Amino acid sequence: MPWSEDDAVASALLTAPSRKLVPEQSAKDASRQDLVIQYECCGAQVVEARGDYDMHSIGPLADVLKTATETHPKVVLDASGVTFADSAFLNLVILIHQTGKLRVVAPSERVRRLCAITGVDGVLQIRETVDEAVAS
């Protein structure tokens, strides 16, 4: 029997039939699905992320970004509405960046700080506006 909810999530990750290390969305996070908005702009897929992103809430954003990279030549992540981000968010952004399609737009102060502390700001293509990101 798990000692905490985190232990239960970790156990679910390790025993998932697909063997993917992406957390499944729990029932308590079901209302968070509306925090990811997506639309097309000049052939690029724009994904607006709003709210907090951690191990428990990253699933819907991960799904949207993965699908976007499979179907569009360029993916723009508008991170201006991200109020909290941890290593799960950072890991996802790095993985999507490795496809060569990701541009990050107007990251919130918390996301900028996370990227600066980890040195990822020197690797990511960060732009100030969606228009700049789509044009780059």
Side-chain angles (χ1 to χ4, degrees):
M1 173 176 223
W3 292 98
S4 71
E5 184 178 316
D6 289 339
D7 291 340
V9 171
S11 175
L13 287 174
L14 296 175
T15 59
S18 65
R19 301 287 184 231
K20 288 184 183 178
L21 293 180
V22 177
E24 291 185 17
Q25 186 179 18
S26 67
K28 73 177 186 175
D29 293 328
S31 64
R32 299 183 121 175
Q33 290 182 8
D34 61 339
L35 298 179
V36 179
I37 300 166
Q38 56 186 332
Y39 60 92
E40 197 166 313
C41 179
C42 301
Q45 182 74 21
V46 179
V47 177
E48 290 183 24
R50 297 181 184 174
D52 297 349
Y53 290 96
D54 60 18
M55 181 175 138
H56 301 289
S57 61
I58 199 75
L61 180 59
D63 293 342
V64 169
L65 288 173
K66 181 177 183 284
T67 300
T69 60
E70 293 170 350
T71 59
H72 290 80
K74 189 178 297 180
V75 177
V76 176
L77 173 61
D78 181 344
S80 61
V82 176
T83 54
F84 174 81
D86 69 1
S87 60
F89 178 86
L90 189 62
N91 186 48
L92 173 63
V93 171
I94 292 167
L95 288 172
I96 299 299
H97 168 73
Q98 290 176 341
T99 68
K101 298 179 178 186
L102 182 68
R103 311 292 188 272
V104 178
V105 172
S108 66
E109 188 57 39
R110 290 183 184 228
V111 173
R112 283 185 192 274
R113 187 165 190 273
L114 178 65
C115 291
I117 288 170
T118 59
V120 173
D121 57 346
V123 175
L124 295 176
Q125 294 189 34
I126 299 175
R127 305 290 187 261
E128 292 305 313
T129 67
V130 171
D131 291 337
E132 273 183 46
V134 169
S136 68

